Amino acid sequence: MAQQCPLIFRQVDATVTRINTLFVAGSIVAFLLTHSIMVLIFLIGDFILRLYGYKSYSPFQNLSLMIQHKLSLPVKMEDAGAKRLAAQFGVGFTIALVITSLLHADVAVAIISGIFLSCAALELFFGYCVACQIYYITKKIYPKWFE
């Protein structure tokens, strides 16, 4: 985790978070293949459950924990601030996808999906948090927002 990430001094398992990211990316791909808004609604619901402390009800969280356990993947604890910020961005991207899809703005759907999948891929494969970088840049430009 980079020093510029927002810190909330609560730890989460980064391995589970990366598996969650795999499910999020898979959901976006499923949406692109089926054009079903229900996939996005499900994704928003799952993000909200995880963001507001109801992780035990999150299907993605439960599947991720099961996969981690079955494959004996290591536990790697990190501060939850960056992961929480990334999930908030994920909700924003998913809502934007719902709106642009309902408006039949196919180019916007493709652009938003491409950005979303790129950010997810960076986290999934390299542990690189784009949300942290955006946070850091915004903090430099608008420092009073973060006081």
Side-chain angles (χ1 to χ4, degrees):
M1 181 180 68
Q3 288 181 329
Q4 65 264 23
C5 292
L7 298 174
I8 61 173
F9 304 105
R10 188 169 36 89
Q11 299 286 301
V12 294
D13 187 348
T15 302
V16 172
T17 303
R18 286 174 118 168
I19 299 168
N20 281 338
T21 303
L22 178 63
F23 288 123
V24 169
S27 296
I28 298 304
V29 171
F31 162 71
L32 291 172
L33 293 173
T34 65
H35 302 288
S36 173
I37 297 289
M38 293 311 295
V39 173
L40 298 177
I41 301 299
F42 176 83
L43 184 56
I44 291 169
D46 192 77
F47 270 126
I48 289 172
L49 287 171
R50 287 185 279 131
L51 276 170
Y52 291 101
Y54 299 100
K55 288 182 178 182
S56 62
Y57 299 109
S58 162
F60 287 170
Q61 180 75 10
N62 290 326
L63 284 170
S64 297
L65 288 168
M66 184 181 74
I67 289 169
Q68 181 189 35
H69 177 72
K70 293 287 184 191
L71 298 178
S72 300
L73 297 173
V75 172
K76 182 181 177 203
M77 300 306 285
E78 290 183 357
D79 189 83
K83 306 307 179 192
R84 183 169 175 75
L85 182 62
Q88 290 168 339
F89 274 91
V91 170
F93 274 114
T94 309
I95 290 171
L97 281 172
V98 168
I99 292 168
T100 53
S101 181
L102 290 173
L103 294 173
H104 301 289
D106 295 337
V107 173
V109 167
I111 291 169
I112 294 166
S113 297
I115 293 169
F116 196 0
L117 287 171
S118 297
C119 293
L122 286 169
E123 171 64 30
L124 182 62
F125 297 119
F126 304 109
Y128 184 83
C129 179
V130 174
C132 288
Q133 301 308 314
I134 292 170
Y135 173 85
Y136 179 67
I137 291 166
T138 305
K139 187 174 177 180
K140 282 184 132 181
I141 296 171
Y142 303 106
K144 299 242 183 235
W145 283 5
F146 299 94
E147 291 178 356

